[in-house]
Amino acid sequence: MHSLTYISSAIKLMEENELLEILKVAREVNSKLGVTGLLLYMDGTFIQTLEGDKQVINELYSKIIKDIRHRNTIVMIEEQITDRVFTDWSMGFAIRDKDLLEEMGIQDIRDELILPEDTSVVTRVMKSIYNQNQASL
């Protein structure tokens, strides 16, 4: 089992209907591919974790980085895992305030993302969101 977490910047602030369309497509595709995960959106910044077969995740990520709705795509965490974190979600989704980026040690300075040296806080936050909202997402 493979897990990949990336961060990217939306080319423009996204409206709720645009985000819901992204989520709808992601859930359909991920269900077919056996992929689980979580997509966070914070005032123009996306953070997404994908879990599944390594080849499937790599192919899916290759398509994601070509999506013209975002830029500055950076893999933050890529690792082999024994168990899925987001077991029940073909794609969980949450909109959060940009303050969450600061909590994770991420800075967004003039379209440049500065990442923390210790990315384990990102994993903890993503798991926390899952645990808090498992029934509602």
Side-chain angles (χ1 to χ4, degrees), residues 69-129:
R69 294 173 289 194
H70 66 145
R71 62 179 183 267
N72 302 331
T73 307
I74 303 167
V75 173
M76 297 176 65
I77 305 165
E78 187 170 13
E79 60 190 354
Q80 289 300 115
I81 56 174
T82 54
D83 297 306
R84 294 176 190 260
V85 172
F86 309 104
T87 55
D88 302 327
W89 291 349
S90 58
M91 186 48 58
F93 177 67
I95 298 174
R96 293 292 190 263
D97 188 278
K98 205 165 194 164
D99 291 344
L100 184 60
L101 289 174
E102 290 179 23
E103 184 180 322
M104 290 189 276
I106 298 167
Q107 298 176 33
D108 187 355
I109 302 174
R110 296 186 191 141
D111 293 330
E112 180 181 347
L113 296 167
I114 300 172
L115 306 180
E117 287 185 29
D118 179 9
T119 57
S120 65
V121 68
V122 175
T123 301
R124 285 194 306 274
V125 169
M126 300 286 272
K127 287 179 181 179
S128 174
I129 290 170

Side-chain angles (χ1 to χ4, degrees), residues 1-135:
M1 189 70 52
H2 194 71
S3 177
L4 184 144
T5 301
Y6 73 87
I7 187 168
S8 66
S9 301
I11 59 164
K12 66 177 185 71
L13 292 179
M14 306 287 284
E15 299 290 331
E16 185 174 349
N17 63 327
E18 294 171 301
L19 293 167
L20 292 176
E21 182 59 29
I22 290 170
L23 181 62
K24 177 185 171 199
V25 172
R27 285 181 172 164
E28 290 172 4
V29 170
N30 291 354
S31 288
K32 291 177 186 173
L33 296 176
V35 172
T36 55
L38 173 63
L39 174 63
L40 293 181
Y41 178 76
M42 296 156 288
D43 296 327
T45 299
F46 292 104
I47 298 179
Q48 183 172 32
T49 297
L50 302 166
E51 303 170 321
D53 177 78
K54 184 174 184 173
Q55 182 176 344
V56 170
I57 296 299
N58 288 338
E59 288 172 7
L60 184 56
Y61 180 69
S62 292
K63 291 178 183 176
I64 288 170
I65 61 175
K66 294 174 186 169
D67 189 320
I68 61 171
R69 294 173 289 194
H70 66 145
R71 62 179 183 267
N72 302 331
T73 307
I74 303 167
V75 173
M76 297 176 65
I77 305 165
E78 187 170 13
E79 60 190 354
Q80 289 300 115
I81 56 174
T82 54
D83 297 306
R84 294 176 190 260
V85 172
F86 309 104
T87 55
D88 302 327
W89 291 349
S90 58
M91 186 48 58
F93 177 67
I95 298 174
R96 293 292 190 263
D97 188 278
K98 205 165 194 164
D99 291 344
L100 184 60
L101 289 174
E102 290 179 23
E103 184 180 322
M104 290 189 276
I106 298 167
Q107 298 176 33
D108 187 355
I109 302 174
R110 296 186 191 141
D111 293 330
E112 180 181 347
L113 296 167
I114 300 172
L115 306 180
E117 287 185 29
D118 179 9
T119 57
S120 65
V121 68
V122 175
T123 301
R124 285 194 306 274
V125 169
M126 300 286 272
K127 287 179 181 179
S128 174
I129 290 170
Y130 175 74
N131 291 331
Q132 292 170 8
N133 300 290
Q134 190 171 7

